[in-house]
Amino acid sequence: MDTDERIARDNVVAVARDLDVQGLNRGTSGNVSVRFRDGLLITPSGLPTARMGSDDIVPMGLDGTHPPDQKPSSEWRFHRDILVRRPEIGAVVHAHPVYCTAFAMCGRDIPAVHYMVAAFGGPSVRCAPYAAYGTAELSELALAALADRNVCLLANHGMIAAGASLEKALWLAVELETLCHQYAVALQVGAPAILSDHEIQATVERFRGYGLNAPARA
């Protein structure tokens, strides 16, 4: 294992642990992947992040192959499929945070109740219909929900955030859980106002140079 691969593996572990630290995940339910060379690196199946080290991260080919002595996350399929079909995506985070999952359990999209929805690429966050975890059907439904978006909910399951980097994917996951929390509270207060598609599209354009979207300086 060379230095670049060791760093990439360490970064996957760090993000997986950060999901726990930030309250987005519990136990062994979340998973993280990053594009690496001609394939990807992904967290293993059923291993708590507290016990996870860089040697536990599983290398996979885009054809789904992996070392026979290692078992990738049970959700490897949608990680792989997102990276194959979305060349601009470099990393994928999947988790079961409380508020995202609550809306997913209700099968509800998140409308434009706050301008930050624009950070996800459009005027809503879609909730993909239910399919069993780890299946090709779930992967196809997730890809459809992610069309022109970088996050989605998975009905009766959780959420996906996909970004150009691990840092961006984690940031999107945190922002999505925050938005779902705010929306849940707003629904208790009354009927949240929905921003227009025109307003959200204008904000999408403004976000192209915001925060982690900003172009790197020379």
Side-chain angles (χ1 to χ4, degrees):
M1 185 187 307
D2 61 27
T3 300
D4 288 345
E5 183 173 353
R6 176 68 67 183
I7 291 171
R9 286 167 172 261
D10 286 345
N11 288 339
V12 171
V13 172
V15 169
R17 289 178 176 167
D18 212 0
L19 288 174
D20 287 356
V21 170
Q22 299 204 48
L24 272 68
N25 209 47
R26 296 288 187 276
T28 62
S29 58
N31 30 78
V32 176
S33 69
V34 67
R35 191 186 297 278
F36 186 74
R37 293 175 180 159
D38 294 330
L40 64 145
L41 299 170
I42 189 167
T43 48
S45 177
L47 184 64
T49 58
R51 291 169 44 201
M52 191 181 297
S54 61
D55 290 339
D56 297 308
I57 301 304
V58 183
M60 292 191 72
L62 294 180
D63 58 358
T65 57
H66 59 85
D69 60 340
Q70 288 187 285
K71 187 175 181 181
S73 164
S74 59
E75 300 290 15
W76 67 266
R77 190 179 299 274
F78 67 62
H79 285 262
R80 186 277 308 271
D81 291 350
I82 291 168
L83 293 174
V84 167
R85 300 211 206 164
R86 298 278 298 270
E88 79 280 13
I89 297 299
V92 179
V93 167
H94 167 59
H96 303 168
V98 172
Y99 289 93
C100 288
T101 304
F103 282 107
M105 290 164 69
C106 296
R108 293 182 61 167
D109 293 353
I110 308 300
V113 289
H114 192 288
Y115 72 80
M116 279 301 293
V117 76
F120 310 130
S124 67
V125 175
R126 303 184 188 101
C127 183
Y130 178 76
Y133 75 90
T135 61
E137 181 184 7
L138 176 62
S139 182
E140 289 300 320
L141 291 169
L143 283 163
L146 285 167
D148 301 316
R149 304 285 193 276
N150 46 34
V151 304
C152 72
L153 302 180
L154 304 174
N156 305 93
H157 188 159
M159 56 75 69
I160 295 173
S165 65
L166 281 167
E167 182 184 20
K168 180 64 180 294
L170 177 62
W171 178 77
L172 290 166
V174 172
E175 291 296 333
L176 179 57
E177 175 67 354
T178 299
L179 179 62
C180 287
H181 190 171
Q182 292 165 338
Y183 186 35
V185 174
L187 288 169
Q188 296 176 58
V189 175
I194 308 299
L195 296 170
S196 69
D197 288 359
H198 174 75
E199 181 61 44
I200 295 302
Q201 187 55 44
T203 308
V204 168
E205 295 302 321
R206 293 179 70 183
F207 272 168
R208 295 193 191 283
Y210 171 80
L212 293 176
N213 293 321
R217 294 181 179 178

